[in-house]
Amino acid sequence: MGSTGDFQLLCLENPLLDIQAECDDSVLQKYSLKANDAILAEESHMPLYNDLLSRKHALIAGGAAQNTARGAQYILPPNSALFIGCVGKDEYAEKLRSACAAAGLRVEYRVDEKQPTGRCGVVITGANRSLCTHLAAANEYKLEHLQSPEIWDLVKKAKYYYVGGYHLTVCVPAVMALAKEAAENPEKIFIMNLSAPFIPQFFKQQLEETSPYWDYLIGNETEVAAWAEAQGGDVKGKSVQEIALHMAGLKKVNEGRKRTVVITQGTEPTIVAVQGEEKVREYPVRTIEAEEIYDTNGAGDAFAGGFVAGIVQGKSLEESVDMGQWLAKLSIKELGPQYPSPKQTYSKA
């Protein structure tokens, strides 16, 4: 790649403003939250956001795939990554735009006139993060925006499509439009992230609609276990390695490209299964001292950003995984899903 990336990487999902605050367990109990979980907000959760704002808090540009897009752009040449989603017409949308501009990330938001910009309440209890998301405007993304001439022109020019699983709760037709565009053009790649256990649990049909198009699938051990549980049959209760091999071997539309499944496991080795291979590959994570860890929120998004940057740059699977681990290691030293400034340069482990 040269000095400019020509927006080869296009990412789609839900732009959110993260509201982070350190709390005690009483806040979890008050809103029926789990210490290390991610859920969509219900009516009973609506007071949470003002509750967090009344405490010492931080506002951070979030949304899983937007975090990943910022992470990929952190590594890639200028003008490489583009993010699409829906925001409201308010000050929080402007905060998101400013944060992304500072990261060098181009955004092409659909603006909804009625709903406010989406929010994610991040309840920090010790080393745990409980995420409670009110999609609001993010839930109003429309296929018409993606297919508008100016946006679809960007789609046609991009070569790598990255979609976060959270968008399966919003606009499946938009996800499928990107998936099919990739499948119909052999030089293009479609990358999907499972995002959270509730996606394969409660949006099983929507996820299954995308599965024949996965060129790369990214998830963690909890998410793939939830996927296996939802599938039932022989795959239920299997090891992470066995589930990865099973997922890699699922039916695929573009048979000219082998599917690759990448599963992170926190401090345990990253598992990679490639379609047609009988055994998984395992890559140990980069070590980090406990005292260096500041905030694990967004570590998975950062890994995806580094990994996808490697794929865009044509790196090997091994090096792409290492790039993901490198960026995740940088991210967990920061508050929230952020990356250090001044910018650091990747080097192999």
Side-chain angles (χ1 to χ4, degrees):
M1 296 176 67
S3 59
T4 178
D6 299 322
F7 302 108
Q8 293 189 59
L9 173 63
L10 185 147
C11 304
L12 170 70
E13 205 194 51
N14 311 328
L16 303 169
L17 186 70
D18 285 357
I19 307 171
Q20 296 199 162
E22 293 190 13
C23 305
D24 55 34
D25 289 346
S26 66
V27 175
L28 297 176
Q29 294 164 7
K30 181 178 180 180
Y31 297 103
S32 299
L33 300 172
K34 298 177 182 177
N36 197 20
D37 199 12
I39 65 167
L40 291 177
E42 298 178 2
E43 191 61 35
S44 62
H45 298 116
M46 291 303 139
L48 170 66
Y49 305 102
N50 283 335
D51 191 338
L52 295 177
L53 287 169
S54 71
R55 303 165 186 265
K56 184 178 180 181
H57 65 276
L59 299 177
I60 298 171
Q66 190 164 238
N67 296 337
T68 292
R70 287 191 293 108
Q73 186 58 73
Y74 188 85
I75 295 174
L76 294 169
N79 302 325
S80 289
L82 163 71
F83 178 81
I84 295 173
C86 187
V87 297
K89 193 174 183 179
D90 53 30
E91 62 177 307
Y92 296 124
E94 293 308 314
K95 290 180 183 294
L96 288 179
R97 287 191 180 90
S98 297
C100 289
L105 176 66
R106 178 177 177 178
V107 295
E108 292 291 345
Y109 294 141
R110 176 185 180 271
V111 178
D112 190 82
E113 298 287 339
K114 296 180 179 179
Q115 291 284 346
T117 297
R119 301 166 292 176
C120 179
V122 183
V123 180
I124 304 171
T125 51
N128 293 314
R129 305 293 180 270
S130 185
L131 312 181
C132 185
T133 299
H134 180 213
L135 290 172
N139 206 32
E140 300 300 323
Y141 190 78
K142 308 297 182 187
L143 178 62
E144 289 77 13
H145 179 266
L146 185 71
Q147 292 182 331
S148 63
E150 60 273 22
I151 302 300
W152 193 251
D153 183 58
L154 295 169
V155 172
K156 298 292 284 187
K157 290 177 179 177
K159 294 182 180 178
Y160 303 86
Y161 304 136
Y162 176 90
V163 179
Y166 290 122
H167 205 70
L168 294 175
T169 73
V170 174
C171 187
V172 176
V175 177
M176 293 306 298
L178 294 180
K180 291 176 180 178
E181 175 68 17
E184 292 166 4
N185 295 276
E187 77 281 6
K188 296 192 174 188
I189 291 175
F190 182 75
I191 307 167
M192 190 85 195
N193 197 312
L194 290 176
S195 296
F198 78 84
I199 297 298
Q201 287 173 327
F202 304 117
F203 295 86
K204 178 183 176 183
Q205 182 179 343
Q206 294 90 330
L207 184 61
E208 285 183 349
E209 189 176 348
T210 70
S211 66
Y213 298 91
W214 300 338
D215 291 316
Y216 290 86
L217 179 71
I218 302 172
N220 64 32
E221 76 278 25
T222 308
E223 293 157 3
V224 298
W227 179 87
E229 181 75 19
Q231 294 297 308
D234 293 341
V235 73
K236 182 178 179 180
K238 294 289 187 179
S239 68
V240 172
Q241 291 84 349
E242 290 170 315
I243 298 170
L245 289 169
H246 183 91
M247 298 178 94
L250 294 173
K251 182 180 178 181
K252 195 169 185 292
V253 171
N254 178 9
E255 296 179 344
R257 188 187 302 280
K258 295 181 178 179
R259 177 184 293 118
T260 301
V261 175
V262 182
I263 303 173
T264 59
Q265 303 185 98
T267 58
E268 297 300 311
T270 300
I271 304 295
V272 176
V274 178
Q275 193 169 24
E277 295 185 3
E278 294 183 359
K279 295 183 178 180
V280 299
R281 310 177 193 187
E282 299 196 18
Y283 301 103
V285 301
R286 290 184 174 223
T287 57
I288 183 169
E289 298 299 326
E291 58 268 21
E292 292 184 276
I293 298 174
Y294 183 54
D295 188 353
T296 58
N297 180 28
D301 304 337
F303 172 86
F307 177 81
V308 170
I311 297 302
V312 171
Q313 291 183 321
K315 304 295 186 183
S316 67
L317 265 178
E318 181 177 8
E319 188 167 356
S320 296
V321 169
D322 186 62
M323 290 170 72
Q325 294 177 353
W326 172 80
L327 194 61
K329 183 176 179 178
L330 292 186
S331 176
I332 62 179
K333 297 179 182 179
E334 306 290 320
L335 173 63
Q338 300 195 87
Y339 310 103
S341 181
K343 184 177 290 189
Q344 298 188 25
T345 302
Y346 166 76
S347 59
K348 292 183 181 180

